[in-house]
Amino acid sequence: MNGRQIRGSHFNAGEVGHVRVGVNVGIKCTCGRVDCVEAIASGIGFDRCARILQKDYTTDLHIPADKGERIPVSEIFALSRKGDPLCVKLVENASEALANLVMNLVRVTDPETIVLGGGVVADGYIHAKIMELLNPTTMRFVSNGVVITKLNPEFIGLLGAGAVAMNM
């Protein structure tokens, strides 16, 4: 806020991935809650949701038996573009979760710009889906829009950690 990071009493402020936003999959999050945005719309979340929902949808998605081998989000996006029922559902869930999170944050923080980063949004596919779901009235004061960072998604976490360290 005003150019400074908000850390909170236990350096845990800003963990917006652990907000529930009305998308119900039944997936337990690492924080102990169920159906947090991160559990639905992160790379690991897509993998875990695919494994949970595969029994309910037909799919051409290869889901490895070894849970240590993660399903690539790029494969889910490619099959979603082709209308694969499971992959379409995964993208719909993640898009709705992220759009609802963005709108909640807009109402709480009143920003001029929302910057999305990370591998899930890097190719622009889910960004377009999120944009379709944003309510124009809610978003009316976000004058610079919802944009994808130009920072390399492979290093975004490292850059964030570095920013925190520099501001301690």
Side-chain angles (χ1 to χ4, degrees):
M1 175 150 303
N2 296 325
R4 302 203 45 93
Q5 293 172 344
I6 299 172
R7 292 195 181 88
S9 299
H10 303 95
F11 302 97
N12 206 19
E15 286 287 338
V16 298
H18 298 289
V19 173
R20 293 189 61 190
V21 289
V23 177
N24 301 308
V25 176
I27 185 163
K28 186 156 182 160
C29 184
T30 58
C31 76
R33 299 175 72 201
V34 177
D35 293 333
C36 292
V37 172
E38 185 173 303
I40 295 167
S42 67
I44 291 170
F46 271 99
D47 179 89
R48 292 180 64 215
C49 287
R51 293 173 190 279
I52 288 172
L53 296 175
Q54 70 178 327
K55 66 187 179 315
D56 299 326
Y57 296 88
T58 59
T59 189
D60 289 327
L61 181 65
H62 171 68
I63 301 174
D66 177 7
K67 291 185 181 178
E69 183 181 344
R70 192 186 311 169
I71 303 163
V73 174
S74 58
E75 186 177 335
I76 293 170
F77 287 175
L79 287 169
S80 174
R81 286 178 175 107
K82 294 178 181 176
D84 181 274
L86 174 61
C87 295
V88 166
K89 184 62 176 172
L90 293 170
V91 170
E92 285 175 352
N93 284 346
S95 300
E96 182 180 351
L98 291 167
N100 287 343
L101 176 63
V102 165
M103 290 186 288
N104 288 343
L105 291 172
V106 164
R107 286 311 208 182
V108 171
T109 63
D110 189 27
E112 291 181 340
T113 310
I114 300 284
V115 181
L116 302 176
V120 170
V121 298
D123 77 348
Y125 178 65
I126 203 162
H127 178 256
K129 302 284 186 189
I130 293 166
M131 297 302 291
E132 292 171 5
L133 297 172
L134 297 174
N135 180 293
T137 302
T138 300
M139 301 302 293
R140 70 188 179 277
F141 297 122
V142 184
S143 54
N144 297 323
V146 179
V147 299
I148 300 173
T149 183
K150 291 182 178 16
L151 298 173
N152 185 329
E154 306 238 346
F155 301 112
I156 201 105
L158 182 60
L159 292 169
V164 168
M166 288 173 52
N167 287 305
M168 293 194 89

